[in-house]
Amino acid sequence: MQETQDQATTPETAAEGHLIVEDVVSTLTGGEALPQNVEDLRAQMERAAAEFDRRTADAFGRALLDSLTDDPGNLRQLEALLILGLAHPDVLGRHRISIAVEGRRLAVLLERSGEIDRARSVLELLANHLPEERSIDHELAGILRRSGKTDELVERYLARAHQAVEAGKVSEAIPWLQEILLLDRTRRDVARMIRDLRYEEADREARTSRRNKILISLVLVSAVSTAVIGREVKLHKDYQKIGQVDPRRDETVVARKAAIEAFIEKNRFWAGLFDATKERDALSEQIGRNEREAASAEKRVVVQHERVTEMADAARVQALIYSERGDFHRALAEFQKSLSLAPEGWEHSERVRADIAALEDWKEASK
């Protein structure tokens, strides 16, 4: 067992592992020397994506990561890992390795070793594939500044600003332009662009705010209208349920008027208020007319009662006069007349009936 472990750590085994990693690097780079520009790096990345399947890429990734653990500064292996990571991002993702971090580390090592152009190529390729990684842009900007290529950096920032504007992301374009002013404060055109973009952004926000307010207002108006219409429909149905008037019964008029008054008191504002008020007033007038007509009819009854009472009294008095004169035939006729004229409940009814009976007995006896 010990002998087996010793064999696993022999120089020959280590050399064999080194040769395997070198084969991986050679395969990924196509056996070429380290690329000198971004076009070469991109070509190697595209070839790795097209020629190697997922299983092969996983094997290459494990070999490179194991080797870099022992030799983290190996530029050729780091560059091969970068090519593999860009071609197959999921390979490094499974090992929780950030391609952006490894790429920046490679660029730093290349710059320290004097390979400035190659460091720049690595960062440019990463920036194109990972535009959301602002740290890569910062590293690239640092290399350009340190190498005195501020003009290229300015053009790069301008390009990024234009891309942001074309994509409708004005708020992202302004920081790129501000970076230009930090490099060259004499760029009045850039300062004017920032001012114009800020004005445009403010105007856009104002238009958006106005549009949102209009939309909110429309939504509120719609909601209120829906609620108002629903309320109006309900009130209309409730109003229709109020008991109707029966022309033959005066009490139905009074009941409907009272119900309408209660409905109006409960619902002060609604579309049918005018019609309800109008009907209430009409019912009030009808009740008044009915009361006046009833009072008039009652008065007529009283007058008629008094009149017939007077006529009955007059006929009775005349009958008494005829009786005193001994003219009993005419007295009987007047008593009968008074009784026929007398209203119900006449105070002399019983006495007149007795007189009529007595005279009728006399009349029979005198035949």
Side-chain angles (χ1 to χ4, degrees), residues 72-321:
N74 191 307
L75 296 179
R76 188 168 177 79
Q77 292 181 18
L78 273 175
E79 200 143 21
L81 184 67
L82 175 66
I83 293 170
L84 180 65
L86 291 173
H88 298 277
D90 55 327
V91 171
L92 297 188
R94 281 193 292 274
H95 293 278
R96 298 183 179 180
I97 301 298
S98 170
I99 188 65
V101 172
E102 295 303 317
R104 293 202 308 273
R105 187 160 71 90
L106 174 59
V108 170
L109 293 174
L110 287 171
E111 185 180 10
R112 287 176 180 175
S113 63
E115 306 270 1
I116 297 176
D117 290 337
R118 287 176 58 204
R120 175 182 171 183
S121 296
V122 168
L123 292 174
E124 285 181 347
L125 183 63
L126 286 171
N128 292 334
H129 281 77
L130 304 172
E132 70 280 2
E133 291 285 346
R134 295 297 296 271
S135 59
I136 296 174
D137 276 301
H138 292 155
E139 291 286 348
L140 180 57
I143 288 178
L144 292 175
R145 277 196 298 268
R146 288 190 292 273
S147 60
K149 297 180 179 180
T150 55
D151 290 342
E152 291 186 27
L153 184 57
V154 167
E155 293 302 320
R156 184 177 183 82
Y157 285 163
L158 276 175
R160 287 298 181 92
H162 286 306
Q163 289 173 1
V165 171
E166 290 175 359
K169 301 177 180 179
V170 176
S171 59
E172 295 183 11
I174 292 176
W176 290 114
L177 296 174
Q178 290 173 332
E179 290 288 343
I180 295 175
L181 288 181
L182 291 176
L183 294 170
D184 185 357
R185 295 187 177 278
T186 64
R187 294 294 297 266
R188 295 183 179 179
D189 57 327
V190 174
R192 185 169 57 254
M193 288 174 63
I194 293 175
R195 185 176 61 251
D196 294 343
L197 288 176
R198 282 177 173 168
Y199 176 80
E200 180 183 339
E201 181 73 1
D203 184 60
R204 185 185 64 80
E205 290 178 355
R207 289 198 306 272
T208 301
S209 177
R210 287 195 298 270
R211 183 168 61 252
N212 291 339
K213 288 180 180 179
I214 292 173
L215 289 175
I216 292 172
S217 299
L218 290 175
V219 170
L220 290 176
V221 169
S222 176
V224 171
S225 299
T226 301
V228 169
I229 292 172
R231 177 176 178 272
E232 290 296 325
V233 171
K234 183 180 182 302
L235 290 176
H236 178 74
K237 290 181 179 178
D238 292 344
Y239 187 78
Q240 295 300 316
K241 294 177 183 178
I242 297 176
Q244 299 299 312
V245 171
D246 185 349
R248 296 169 297 179
R249 300 171 58 192
D250 291 343
E251 62 269 21
T252 61
V253 179
V254 177
R256 182 169 176 82
K257 173 179 175 291
I260 291 176
E261 286 178 339
F263 195 86
I264 292 174
E265 183 67 23
K266 184 179 178 181
N267 305 285
R268 291 288 187 177
F269 303 100
W270 60 296
L273 180 62
F274 176 77
D275 291 336
T277 303
K278 187 177 179 181
E279 183 179 1
R280 180 201 61 188
D281 295 342
L283 291 174
S284 296
E285 292 179 2
Q286 183 176 347
I287 291 172
R289 286 195 303 271
N290 292 345
E291 291 176 349
R292 289 192 296 273
E293 289 176 0
S296 179
E298 184 178 353
K299 184 176 182 180
R300 286 195 299 272
V301 169
V302 171
V303 171
Q304 181 66 18
H305 183 274
E306 291 176 351
R307 183 166 174 262
V308 296
T309 299
E310 289 175 356
M311 292 174 66
D313 287 341
R316 173 179 169 275
V317 170
Q318 188 63 46
L320 291 173
I321 293 173

